Amino acid sequence: MKVCQLKLGPMDNFSYLVWDEAAKDAALIDPAWQPEKLADVVKREGVKPACVLLTHGHPDHVNAVRYFTAGAALPVYLHEADHCMLEEAPTGLRSMADGDVLKAGPLEFKVMHTPGHTPGSVCYAIGDALFTGDTLFIGGCGRVDLPGSSAEDLYDSFVKLAALPDAAAVYPGHSYNGDTSTIGVQKEYNFYLKLARQGRREDFLRSIS
């Protein structure tokens, strides 16, 4: 499996292209801003997009979806709780739930529903990689002061993430405090994940309010 991480747009968003080197099937994760740069990687690597995976419905993570779905029958996966955030539903919009497995050729992405930043936020796990969107940042976490956000839900989501293997590589939705890490490193140095790992719910809620 190959992963291309692209930092794009005015908010240091990350878009990802993930593909199987043999089959050349690829998943586009959170295509937003400057879609031509992501399209250039698709062309250079000779891969075929098989699906679009969205971590949540905020505009800065979805605003290039139509660039890739115009004239193409690509399934676009977004948790149903975030469908209402879309200005216009793209062709091929599909829902998914916690534990679902989404395929791009031989690649299999397991859905982890991680609400908090938005009601429908998810992370995608594949192999030793975890694409966390705006749920978990390097050294931080997503905002919970926006419509639909919930600090209580984010705590529960962080408890779930804290149970993952230390070796899991973290690929966040923004370049805040770094571009990649591991769950093990974040358990030690991410204040919020440390609190969740230790079961300190009230401290977590106080610190994030």
Side-chain angles (χ1 to χ4, degrees), residues 114-180:
T114 53
H117 180 63
T118 68
S121 286
V122 303
C123 298
Y124 295 104
I126 178 170
D128 61 357
L130 182 71
F131 299 89
T132 59
D134 283 7
T135 297
L136 175 68
F137 297 133
I138 308 306
C141 64
R143 293 173 59 179
V144 292
D145 59 345
L146 301 171
S149 298
S150 167
E152 291 83 0
D153 287 347
L154 188 63
Y155 174 81
D156 293 337
S157 294
F158 267 45
V159 169
K160 183 186 296 187
L161 294 178
L164 294 175
D166 288 355
V170 175
Y171 293 96
H174 290 268
S175 178
Y176 300 158
N177 304 314
D179 298 347
T180 60

Short mmCIF file of all heavy atoms in Angstrom, two decimals, residues 114-180:
data_model
loop_
_atom_site.label_atom_id
_atom_site.label_comp_id
_atom_site.label_asym_id
_atom_site.label_seq_id
_atom_site.Cartn_x
_atom_site.Cartn_y
_atom_site.Cartn_z
N THR A 114 -16.14 8.14 15.11
CA THR A 114 -15.50 8.87 16.19
C THR A 114 -16.12 10.26 16.32
O THR A 114 -15.48 11.28 16.03
CB THR A 114 -13.98 8.98 15.95
OG1 THR A 114 -13.74 9.53 14.64
CG2 THR A 114 -13.31 7.64 16.07
N PRO A 115 -17.39 10.35 16.74
CA PRO A 115 -18.06 11.65 16.85
C PRO A 115 -17.41 12.53 17.90
O PRO A 115 -16.68 12.05 18.78
CB PRO A 115 -19.48 11.26 17.23
CG PRO A 115 -19.34 9.94 17.94
CD PRO A 115 -18.23 9.24 17.22
N GLY A 116 -17.70 13.80 17.80
CA GLY A 116 -17.17 14.79 18.72
C GLY A 116 -16.96 16.10 18.00
O GLY A 116 -17.63 17.09 18.29
N HIS A 117 -16.04 16.11 17.05
CA HIS A 117 -15.84 17.30 16.22
C HIS A 117 -17.10 17.57 15.40
O HIS A 117 -17.56 18.71 15.28
CB HIS A 117 -14.62 17.11 15.33
CG HIS A 117 -14.33 18.27 14.43
ND1 HIS A 117 -14.00 19.51 14.92
CD2 HIS A 117 -14.32 18.38 13.07
CE1 HIS A 117 -13.79 20.34 13.90
NE2 HIS A 117 -14.00 19.68 12.78
N THR A 118 -17.65 16.52 14.82
CA THR A 118 -18.97 16.54 14.20
C THR A 118 -19.67 15.25 14.60
O THR A 118 -19.02 14.28 15.01
CB THR A 118 -18.91 16.62 12.66
OG1 THR A 118 -18.38 15.38 12.14
CG2 THR A 118 -18.07 17.79 12.18
N PRO A 119 -21.00 15.20 14.47
CA PRO A 119 -21.71 13.96 14.83
C PRO A 119 -21.30 12.76 13.97
O PRO A 119 -21.37 11.62 14.43
CB PRO A 119 -23.18 14.32 14.61
CG PRO A 119 -23.24 15.80 14.67
CD PRO A 119 -21.93 16.28 14.11
N GLY A 120 -20.91 13.03 12.73
CA GLY A 120 -20.60 11.94 11.82
C GLY A 120 -19.12 11.75 11.54
O GLY A 120 -18.74 11.09 10.57
N SER A 121 -18.26 12.31 12.37
CA SER A 121 -16.81 12.14 12.15
C SER A 121 -16.42 10.66 12.23
O SER A 121 -16.92 9.92 13.09
CB SER A 121 -16.01 12.92 13.20
OG SER A 121 -16.05 14.31 12.95
N VAL A 122 -15.54 10.26 11.34
CA VAL A 122 -15.02 8.90 11.36
C VAL A 122 -13.51 8.93 11.15
O VAL A 122 -12.94 9.91 10.65
CB VAL A 122 -15.64 8.01 10.26
CG1 VAL A 122 -17.16 7.98 10.38
CG2 VAL A 122 -15.22 8.46 8.87
N CYS A 123 -12.87 7.84 11.55
CA CYS A 123 -11.49 7.56 11.18
C CYS A 123 -11.51 6.32 10.30
O CYS A 123 -12.40 5.47 10.42
CB CYS A 123 -10.62 7.31 12.40
SG CYS A 123 -10.49 8.71 13.55
N TYR A 124 -10.52 6.21 9.42
CA TYR A 124 -10.41 5.05 8.55
C TYR A 124 -9.12 4.31 8.90
O TYR A 124 -8.03 4.89 8.86
CB TYR A 124 -10.38 5.46 7.08
CG TYR A 124 -11.66 6.09 6.60
CD1 TYR A 124 -11.76 7.47 6.41
CD2 TYR A 124 -12.78 5.31 6.33
CE1 TYR A 124 -12.94 8.05 5.98
CE2 TYR A 124 -13.97 5.89 5.89
CZ TYR A 124 -14.04 7.25 5.71
OH TYR A 124 -15.21 7.82 5.28
N ALA A 125 -9.25 3.03 9.22
CA ALA A 125 -8.10 2.21 9.57
C ALA A 125 -7.83 1.20 8.46
O ALA A 125 -8.75 0.52 7.99
CB ALA A 125 -8.34 1.47 10.89
N ILE A 126 -6.57 1.12 8.04
CA ILE A 126 -6.17 0.12 7.06
C ILE A 126 -4.74 -0.29 7.36
O ILE A 126 -3.85 0.56 7.42
CB ILE A 126 -6.31 0.65 5.61
CG1 ILE A 126 -5.82 -0.41 4.61
CG2 ILE A 126 -5.63 2.00 5.42
CD1 ILE A 126 -6.13 -0.08 3.16
N GLY A 127 -4.55 -1.57 7.57
CA GLY A 127 -3.21 -2.04 7.94
C GLY A 127 -2.74 -1.34 9.20
O GLY A 127 -3.45 -1.29 10.21
N ASP A 128 -1.55 -0.75 9.12
CA ASP A 128 -1.03 -0.01 10.27
C ASP A 128 -1.19 1.50 10.10
O ASP A 128 -0.48 2.29 10.73
CB ASP A 128 0.45 -0.35 10.51
CG ASP A 128 1.34 0.00 9.33
OD1 ASP A 128 0.80 0.46 8.29
OD2 ASP A 128 2.56 -0.16 9.44
N ALA A 129 -2.17 1.92 9.28
CA ALA A 129 -2.42 3.34 9.04
C ALA A 129 -3.80 3.72 9.55
O ALA A 129 -4.76 2.94 9.45
CB ALA A 129 -2.31 3.67 7.56
N LEU A 130 -3.89 4.94 10.10
CA LEU A 130 -5.16 5.46 10.61
C LEU A 130 -5.31 6.90 10.12
O LEU A 130 -4.50 7.77 10.45
CB LEU A 130 -5.17 5.42 12.13
CG LEU A 130 -6.45 5.89 12.82
CD1 LEU A 130 -7.58 4.87 12.59
CD2 LEU A 130 -6.22 6.10 14.32
N PHE A 131 -6.36 7.15 9.35
CA PHE A 131 -6.65 8.48 8.83
C PHE A 131 -7.71 9.11 9.74
O PHE A 131 -8.85 8.65 9.77
CB PHE A 131 -7.12 8.39 7.38
CG PHE A 131 -6.08 7.79 6.48
CD1 PHE A 131 -6.01 6.42 6.28
CD2 PHE A 131 -5.13 8.60 5.87
CE1 PHE A 131 -5.03 5.85 5.48
CE2 PHE A 131 -4.14 8.05 5.06
CZ PHE A 131 -4.09 6.67 4.87
N THR A 132 -7.32 10.16 10.48
CA THR A 132 -8.12 10.62 11.60
C THR A 132 -8.93 11.89 11.34
O THR A 132 -9.67 12.33 12.22
CB THR A 132 -7.22 10.86 12.83
OG1 THR A 132 -6.21 11.83 12.50
CG2 THR A 132 -6.54 9.56 13.26
N GLY A 133 -8.82 12.49 10.18
CA GLY A 133 -9.59 13.70 9.90
C GLY A 133 -9.35 14.76 10.96
O GLY A 133 -8.22 15.03 11.35
N ASP A 134 -10.44 15.35 11.45
CA ASP A 134 -10.33 16.38 12.49
C ASP A 134 -10.66 15.84 13.87
O ASP A 134 -10.93 16.61 14.80
CB ASP A 134 -11.25 17.56 12.16
CG ASP A 134 -10.68 18.45 11.07
OD1 ASP A 134 -9.64 18.08 10.48
OD2 ASP A 134 -11.28 19.50 10.78
N THR A 135 -10.63 14.53 14.02
CA THR A 135 -10.83 13.95 15.35
C THR A 135 -9.54 14.06 16.16
O THR A 135 -9.53 14.65 17.25
CB THR A 135 -11.25 12.47 15.25
OG1 THR A 135 -12.53 12.38 14.59
CG2 THR A 135 -11.36 11.84 16.63
N LEU A 136 -8.47 13.54 15.63
CA LEU A 136 -7.18 13.52 16.32
C LEU A 136 -6.13 14.21 15.47
O LEU A 136 -5.90 13.83 14.32
CB LEU A 136 -6.75 12.08 16.59
CG LEU A 136 -5.37 11.86 17.20
CD1 LEU A 136 -5.33 12.39 18.64
CD2 LEU A 136 -4.99 10.38 17.17
N PHE A 137 -5.51 15.24 16.02
CA PHE A 137 -4.37 15.90 15.39
C PHE A 137 -3.09 15.47 16.09
O PHE A 137 -3.12 14.87 17.18
CB PHE A 137 -4.50 17.42 15.48
CG PHE A 137 -5.69 17.99 14.76
CD1 PHE A 137 -6.51 18.92 15.38
CD2 PHE A 137 -5.99 17.60 13.46
CE1 PHE A 137 -7.60 19.46 14.73
CE2 PHE A 137 -7.09 18.13 12.79
CZ PHE A 137 -7.89 19.07 13.44
N ILE A 138 -1.96 15.79 15.51
CA ILE A 138 -0.70 15.55 16.18
C ILE A 138 -0.62 16.51 17.37
O ILE A 138 -0.59 17.73 17.19
CB ILE A 138 0.49 15.76 15.23
CG1 ILE A 138 0.30 14.96 13.94
CG2 ILE A 138 1.80 15.39 15.93
CD1 ILE A 138 0.04 13.49 14.12
N GLY A 139 -0.67 15.97 18.55
CA GLY A 139 -0.61 16.80 19.74
C GLY A 139 -1.87 17.56 20.07
O GLY A 139 -1.85 18.45 20.92
N GLY A 140 -2.97 17.24 19.44
CA GLY A 140 -4.20 17.99 19.70
C GLY A 140 -5.44 17.23 19.29
O GLY A 140 -5.41 16.01 19.05
N CYS A 141 -6.55 17.96 19.21
CA CYS A 141 -7.82 17.34 18.83
C CYS A 141 -8.68 18.36 18.12
O CYS A 141 -8.39 19.56 18.13
CB CYS A 141 -8.54 16.80 20.06
SG CYS A 141 -9.04 18.07 21.25
N GLY A 142 -9.75 17.89 17.52
CA GLY A 142 -10.64 18.78 16.78
C GLY A 142 -11.46 19.66 17.70
O GLY A 142 -11.68 19.35 18.89
N ARG A 143 -11.92 20.78 17.18
CA ARG A 143 -12.73 21.73 17.94
C ARG A 143 -14.07 21.11 18.32
O ARG A 143 -14.65 20.31 17.58
CB ARG A 143 -12.98 22.99 17.11
CG ARG A 143 -11.75 23.81 16.84
CD ARG A 143 -12.04 24.94 15.87
NE ARG A 143 -13.08 25.84 16.38
CZ ARG A 143 -13.50 26.92 15.73
NH1 ARG A 143 -12.98 27.22 14.53
NH2 ARG A 143 -14.42 27.70 16.25
N VAL A 144 -14.58 21.54 19.48
CA VAL A 144 -15.89 21.08 19.92
C VAL A 144 -16.80 22.26 20.26
O VAL A 144 -17.75 22.13 21.04
CB VAL A 144 -15.78 20.12 21.13
CG1 VAL A 144 -15.12 18.81 20.71
CG2 VAL A 144 -15.01 20.77 22.27
N ASP A 145 -16.52 23.41 19.64
CA ASP A 145 -17.34 24.60 19.87
C ASP A 145 -18.14 24.97 18.61
O ASP A 145 -18.59 26.10 18.46
CB ASP A 145 -16.48 25.78 20.29
CG ASP A 145 -15.41 26.15 19.27
OD1 ASP A 145 -15.13 25.32 18.37
OD2 ASP A 145 -14.83 27.25 19.37
N LEU A 146 -18.34 24.02 17.73
CA LEU A 146 -19.05 24.25 16.48
C LEU A 146 -20.42 23.57 16.54
O LEU A 146 -20.63 22.67 17.36
CB LEU A 146 -18.24 23.68 15.31
CG LEU A 146 -16.83 24.26 15.14
CD1 LEU A 146 -16.07 23.46 14.09
CD2 LEU A 146 -16.91 25.73 14.74
N PRO A 147 -21.36 23.98 15.69
CA PRO A 147 -22.67 23.33 15.68
C PRO A 147 -22.53 21.82 15.48
O PRO A 147 -21.85 21.36 14.57
CB PRO A 147 -23.38 23.98 14.48
CG PRO A 147 -22.73 25.34 14.36
CD PRO A 147 -21.30 25.11 14.73
N GLY A 148 -23.16 21.06 16.35
CA GLY A 148 -23.12 19.61 16.26
C GLY A 148 -21.95 18.98 17.00
O GLY A 148 -21.90 17.75 17.11
N SER A 149 -21.02 19.80 17.49
CA SER A 149 -19.87 19.25 18.21
C SER A 149 -20.28 18.80 19.61
O SER A 149 -21.27 19.27 20.17
CB SER A 149 -18.76 20.30 18.33
OG SER A 149 -18.28 20.69 17.07
N SER A 150 -19.47 17.91 20.18
CA SER A 150 -19.75 17.42 21.53
C SER A 150 -18.45 16.99 22.19
O SER A 150 -17.80 16.05 21.73
CB SER A 150 -20.72 16.23 21.49
OG SER A 150 -20.77 15.58 22.73
N ALA A 151 -18.08 17.67 23.28
CA ALA A 151 -16.89 17.28 24.03
C ALA A 151 -17.05 15.90 24.64
O ALA A 151 -16.10 15.11 24.69
CB ALA A 151 -16.61 18.32 25.12
N GLU A 152 -18.25 15.58 25.10
CA GLU A 152 -18.50 14.27 25.70
C GLU A 152 -18.30 13.15 24.68
O GLU A 152 -17.68 12.12 24.98
CB GLU A 152 -19.92 14.21 26.28
CG GLU A 152 -20.14 15.09 27.49
CD GLU A 152 -20.44 16.55 27.14
OE1 GLU A 152 -20.48 16.89 25.91
OE2 GLU A 152 -20.60 17.35 28.07
N ASP A 153 -18.82 13.37 23.48
CA ASP A 153 -18.64 12.36 22.43
C ASP A 153 -17.17 12.23 22.04
O ASP A 153 -16.69 11.12 21.77
CB ASP A 153 -19.46 12.72 21.19
CG ASP A 153 -20.95 12.48 21.39
OD1 ASP A 153 -21.33 11.83 22.39
OD2 ASP A 153 -21.74 12.97 20.55
N LEU A 154 -16.46 13.36 22.00
CA LEU A 154 -15.06 13.29 21.62
C LEU A 154 -14.26 12.51 22.66
O LEU A 154 -13.35 11.75 22.30
CB LEU A 154 -14.47 14.69 21.45
CG LEU A 154 -13.06 14.74 20.87
CD1 LEU A 154 -13.04 14.17 19.45
CD2 LEU A 154 -12.50 16.16 20.85
N TYR A 155 -14.58 12.68 23.92
CA TYR A 155 -13.90 11.89 24.95
C TYR A 155 -14.10 10.39 24.68
O TYR A 155 -13.13 9.61 24.70
CB TYR A 155 -14.43 12.23 26.35
CG TYR A 155 -13.86 11.31 27.41
CD1 TYR A 155 -12.58 11.53 27.94
CD2 TYR A 155 -14.57 10.20 27.85
CE1 TYR A 155 -12.04 10.66 28.87
CE2 TYR A 155 -14.04 9.33 28.79
CZ TYR A 155 -12.77 9.57 29.30
OH TYR A 155 -12.24 8.70 30.22
N ASP A 156 -15.33 9.98 24.43
CA ASP A 156 -15.59 8.57 24.16
C ASP A 156 -14.84 8.09 22.93
O ASP A 156 -14.33 6.96 22.89
CB ASP A 156 -17.09 8.34 23.98
CG ASP A 156 -17.88 8.56 25.26
OD1 ASP A 156 -17.29 8.46 26.36
OD2 ASP A 156 -19.09 8.84 25.16
N SER A 157 -14.74 8.95 21.93
CA SER A 157 -13.99 8.59 20.72
C SER A 157 -12.50 8.44 21.03
O SER A 157 -11.83 7.55 20.50
CB SER A 157 -14.20 9.65 19.64
OG SER A 157 -15.55 9.67 19.20
N PHE A 158 -11.98 9.31 21.89
CA PHE A 158 -10.56 9.22 22.25
C PHE A 158 -10.28 7.97 23.08
O PHE A 158 -9.19 7.38 22.98
CB PHE A 158 -10.13 10.49 22.99
CG PHE A 158 -9.55 11.53 22.08
CD1 PHE A 158 -10.16 11.84 20.88
CD2 PHE A 158 -8.39 12.21 22.41
CE1 PHE A 158 -9.62 12.79 20.03
CE2 PHE A 158 -7.84 13.16 21.57
CZ PHE A 158 -8.46 13.45 20.37
N VAL A 159 -11.22 7.55 23.89
CA VAL A 159 -11.06 6.28 24.61
C VAL A 159 -10.93 5.14 23.60
O VAL A 159 -10.10 4.23 23.77
CB VAL A 159 -12.25 6.04 25.56
CG1 VAL A 159 -12.22 4.62 26.11
CG2 VAL A 159 -12.23 7.06 26.70
N LYS A 160 -11.73 5.19 22.56
CA LYS A 160 -11.66 4.16 21.52
C LYS A 160 -10.30 4.20 20.81
O LYS A 160 -9.68 3.15 20.58
CB LYS A 160 -12.80 4.37 20.51
CG LYS A 160 -12.88 3.34 19.41
CD LYS A 160 -13.92 3.70 18.36
CE LYS A 160 -15.32 3.71 18.91
NZ LYS A 160 -16.34 3.90 17.84
N LEU A 161 -9.83 5.39 20.47
CA LEU A 161 -8.54 5.51 19.79
C LEU A 161 -7.38 5.09 20.68
O LEU A 161 -6.39 4.51 20.21
CB LEU A 161 -8.33 6.95 19.31
CG LEU A 161 -9.29 7.46 18.22
CD1 LEU A 161 -8.98 8.91 17.89
CD2 LEU A 161 -9.21 6.60 16.97
N ALA A 162 -7.50 5.37 21.97
CA ALA A 162 -6.42 5.02 22.91
C ALA A 162 -6.24 3.52 23.05
O ALA A 162 -5.20 3.06 23.54
CB ALA A 162 -6.69 5.64 24.27
N ALA A 163 -7.22 2.75 22.61
CA ALA A 163 -7.13 1.29 22.68
C ALA A 163 -6.45 0.68 21.46
O ALA A 163 -6.20 -0.53 21.42
CB ALA A 163 -8.52 0.70 22.85
N LEU A 164 -6.12 1.51 20.47
CA LEU A 164 -5.48 1.00 19.26
C LEU A 164 -4.01 0.66 19.51
O LEU A 164 -3.40 1.18 20.45
CB LEU A 164 -5.59 2.04 18.14
CG LEU A 164 -7.00 2.34 17.63
CD1 LEU A 164 -6.96 3.47 16.62
CD2 LEU A 164 -7.63 1.10 17.01
N PRO A 165 -3.43 -0.21 18.68
CA PRO A 165 -2.01 -0.57 18.84
C PRO A 165 -1.10 0.64 18.72
O PRO A 165 -1.34 1.55 17.92
CB PRO A 165 -1.76 -1.56 17.70
CG PRO A 165 -3.12 -2.09 17.34
CD PRO A 165 -4.08 -0.97 17.59
N ASP A 166 -0.04 0.66 19.51
CA ASP A 166 0.89 1.78 19.50
C ASP A 166 1.50 2.03 18.14
O ASP A 166 1.83 3.18 17.79
CB ASP A 166 2.02 1.53 20.51
CG ASP A 166 1.57 1.65 21.95
OD1 ASP A 166 0.40 2.03 22.18
OD2 ASP A 166 2.38 1.36 22.85
N ALA A 167 1.67 0.99 17.33
CA ALA A 167 2.36 1.13 16.04
C ALA A 167 1.51 1.78 14.96
O ALA A 167 2.03 2.14 13.90
CB ALA A 167 2.84 -0.24 15.56
N ALA A 168 0.22 1.95 15.22
CA ALA A 168 -0.66 2.53 14.19
C ALA A 168 -0.19 3.93 13.82
O ALA A 168 -0.02 4.79 14.69
CB ALA A 168 -2.10 2.56 14.69
N ALA A 169 0.01 4.17 12.52
CA ALA A 169 0.46 5.47 12.04
C ALA A 169 -0.73 6.41 11.93
O ALA A 169 -1.78 6.05 11.39
CB ALA A 169 1.13 5.33 10.68
N VAL A 170 -0.56 7.63 12.45
CA VAL A 170 -1.63 8.62 12.44
C VAL A 170 -1.43 9.59 11.29
O VAL A 170 -0.39 10.24 11.17
CB VAL A 170 -1.66 9.41 13.78
CG1 VAL A 170 -2.69 10.53 13.71
CG2 VAL A 170 -1.94 8.47 14.94
N TYR A 171 -2.46 9.69 10.43
CA TYR A 171 -2.48 10.66 9.33
C TYR A 171 -3.65 11.61 9.57
O TYR A 171 -4.80 11.26 9.31
CB TYR A 171 -2.65 9.95 7.99
CG TYR A 171 -1.48 9.09 7.58
CD1 TYR A 171 -1.48 7.72 7.83
CD2 TYR A 171 -0.37 9.65 6.95
CE1 TYR A 171 -0.41 6.93 7.45
CE2 TYR A 171 0.71 8.86 6.56
CZ TYR A 171 0.69 7.51 6.81
OH TYR A 171 1.75 6.71 6.44
N PRO A 172 -3.38 12.83 10.06
CA PRO A 172 -4.46 13.74 10.46
C PRO A 172 -5.03 14.53 9.29
O PRO A 172 -4.53 14.48 8.16
CB PRO A 172 -3.75 14.67 11.45
CG PRO A 172 -2.35 14.75 10.91
CD PRO A 172 -2.04 13.37 10.36
N GLY A 173 -6.08 15.32 9.61
CA GLY A 173 -6.75 16.11 8.58
C GLY A 173 -6.17 17.49 8.35
O GLY A 173 -6.51 18.15 7.38
N HIS A 174 -5.29 17.94 9.26
CA HIS A 174 -4.63 19.23 9.12
C HIS A 174 -3.18 19.10 9.60
O HIS A 174 -2.85 18.24 10.42
CB HIS A 174 -5.31 20.32 9.97
CG HIS A 174 -6.65 20.74 9.49
ND1 HIS A 174 -6.83 21.80 8.62
CD2 HIS A 174 -7.88 20.26 9.78
CE1 HIS A 174 -8.13 21.96 8.39
NE2 HIS A 174 -8.78 21.04 9.08
N SER A 175 -2.35 19.99 9.10
CA SER A 175 -0.95 20.03 9.53
C SER A 175 -0.81 20.95 10.74
O SER A 175 -0.30 22.05 10.66
CB SER A 175 -0.05 20.54 8.39
OG SER A 175 1.29 20.61 8.80
N TYR A 176 -1.30 20.47 11.87
CA TYR A 176 -1.17 21.20 13.13
C TYR A 176 -0.17 20.45 14.01
O TYR A 176 -0.40 19.30 14.36
CB TYR A 176 -2.51 21.29 13.87
CG TYR A 176 -3.63 21.97 13.13
CD1 TYR A 176 -4.95 21.72 13.45
CD2 TYR A 176 -3.37 22.90 12.11
CE1 TYR A 176 -5.99 22.36 12.80
CE2 TYR A 176 -4.40 23.54 11.45
CZ TYR A 176 -5.71 23.26 11.79
OH TYR A 176 -6.74 23.89 11.14
N ASN A 177 0.94 21.07 14.34
CA ASN A 177 1.96 20.48 15.23
C ASN A 177 2.68 19.29 14.61
O ASN A 177 3.43 18.59 15.30
CB ASN A 177 1.34 20.02 16.56
CG ASN A 177 0.62 21.13 17.27
OD1 ASN A 177 1.12 22.24 17.39
ND2 ASN A 177 -0.59 20.84 17.73
N GLY A 178 2.49 19.07 13.32
CA GLY A 178 3.17 17.96 12.67
C GLY A 178 2.28 17.29 11.66
O GLY A 178 1.06 17.50 11.63
N ASP A 179 2.89 16.46 10.83
CA ASP A 179 2.17 15.85 9.71
C ASP A 179 1.79 14.39 9.95
O ASP A 179 0.76 13.93 9.46
CB ASP A 179 3.01 15.96 8.44
CG ASP A 179 3.28 17.41 8.05
OD1 ASP A 179 2.62 18.31 8.63
OD2 ASP A 179 4.14 17.64 7.19
N THR A 180 2.63 13.63 10.62
CA THR A 180 2.36 12.22 10.91
C THR A 180 2.92 11.88 12.28
O THR A 180 3.80 12.56 12.80
CB THR A 180 2.98 11.28 9.86
OG1 THR A 180 4.40 11.45 9.85
CG2 THR A 180 2.42 11.52 8.49
#
